[in-house]
Amino acid sequence: MSKTKPVDAKHLRQAKTALFMRVSTERQKHDRQKTILSDWAKSQRLRQGQYAWYREKVSGSKETASRTGLSKLLRDVDAGRVHSVVIDRLDRLSRSTRKGLELLALLADQGCRVVAVQQQIDWNGSMGKFLATLFLALGEWEREQTRDRIIEGMAAARSNGKHCGRPRNQKRYEQVAKMRASGMSVQQISERLGIKRQSTYYLLSQAGTTQDKSE
């Protein structure tokens, strides 16, 4: 994306508002964000053709180059096809405070307005910049606190003998034990189940079956 450059009058007339949505995984949906942004567009009396949707399913911590939705948006801003970017929250742009602020500064250099609907932030003027910095920093701090609490909780559970992670599958333990008892080698079991040898050793140990790791 280049630095600020003049945009001709034709591009200004054709420029649209970008409604940008992001979720972190393929399983997640954009429905809630779409409702929020649709309501905002209606409140601004935007008509069809005056706005365009941009969406992606990728972690906000990824680099811009690996985010197809954001990359397309930035190209359109650079080309003068977009004059405003509207999101439900600032962390849709980035999960990192530093990267988020860099993106906001980049958009500001292009004369592009950024609106975070739920946080009621308009990246316009000193107050908008201050609030954006504050909300991005708070969001990152909250995620770090949540991650630390999860790690501490799992460590405490393990110290009390509780299992953390994927649920144990007793049927799989029994299956592996029966295959082993039938005379199958660890390699044969691994190939039959499509798992790594180390996983087979683990399942056998959980099933209480002895195994020779020299196989």
Side-chain angles (χ1 to χ4, degrees):
M1 195 168 180
S2 61
K3 291 294 183 181
T4 306
K5 62 182 181 182
V7 180
D8 60 38
K10 181 180 178 181
H11 275 154
L12 284 174
R13 287 194 299 270
Q14 294 176 343
K16 299 179 180 181
T17 296
L19 306 180
F20 181 80
M21 304 181 295
R22 180 188 65 77
V23 291
S24 298
T25 68
E26 287 293 331
R27 294 191 302 273
Q28 293 175 305
K29 296 182 179 181
H30 297 104
D31 296 357
R32 181 169 172 274
Q33 294 175 54
K34 188 171 184 179
T35 298
I36 292 170
L37 298 183
S38 295
D39 289 345
W40 180 89
K42 290 177 182 177
S43 74
Q44 301 299 306
R45 298 182 180 179
L46 294 182
R47 299 187 299 274
Q48 290 289 339
Q50 293 182 313
Y51 59 88
W53 291 96
Y54 294 78
R55 67 196 74 198
E56 61 183 11
K57 293 189 174 185
V58 64
S59 170
S61 62
K62 296 286 187 180
E63 294 297 328
T64 302
S66 63
R67 295 177 55 183
T68 56
L70 179 60
S71 295
K72 183 179 186 304
L73 171 63
L74 295 178
R75 288 195 300 270
D76 287 348
V77 169
D78 194 43
R81 291 189 287 268
V82 167
H83 62 68
S84 300
V85 175
V86 183
I87 46 187
D88 75 321
R89 297 198 317 266
L90 284 168
D91 60 6
R92 300 302 178 190
L93 286 179
S94 177
R95 302 282 281 184
S96 160
T97 302
R98 179 181 62 80
K99 290 179 182 178
L101 291 173
E102 287 175 354
L103 280 170
L104 288 170
L106 200 59
L107 292 168
D109 284 345
Q110 294 288 332
C112 185
R113 175 190 181 200
V114 178
V115 177
V117 177
Q118 290 203 83
Q119 294 161 322
Q120 298 182 356
I121 295 175
D122 193 327
W123 182 259
N124 244 342
S126 58
M127 182 54 70
K129 293 177 182 178
F130 168 74
L131 289 174
T133 303
L134 180 62
F135 274 100
L136 282 168
L138 282 174
E140 186 171 15
W141 178 80
E142 287 175 355
R143 287 189 295 275
E144 289 176 354
Q145 292 296 305
T146 299
R147 181 193 61 197
D148 290 344
R149 283 195 295 270
I150 291 172
I151 292 172
E152 290 172 2
M154 291 177 68
R158 290 194 189 99
S159 67
N160 291 324
K162 295 180 181 179
H163 173 69
C164 296
R166 294 179 180 175
R168 293 189 173 114
N169 190 334
Q170 188 61 39
K171 290 184 179 180
R172 176 54 67 93
Y173 297 155
E174 294 173 357
Q175 178 187 19
V176 172
K178 288 179 180 178
M179 293 170 75
R180 182 63 169 160
S182 71
M184 293 179 67
S185 68
V186 170
Q187 183 63 35
Q188 289 172 328
I189 295 172
S190 301
E191 292 174 355
R192 176 72 63 84
L193 298 178
I195 59 177
K196 296 180 179 179
R197 284 166 59 93
Q198 193 60 38
S199 297
T200 302
Y201 286 126
Y202 171 76
L203 291 170
L204 287 168
S205 68
Q206 293 299 305
T209 304
T210 57
Q211 64 277 351
D212 183 0
K213 289 198 174 185
S214 64
E215 288 185 28

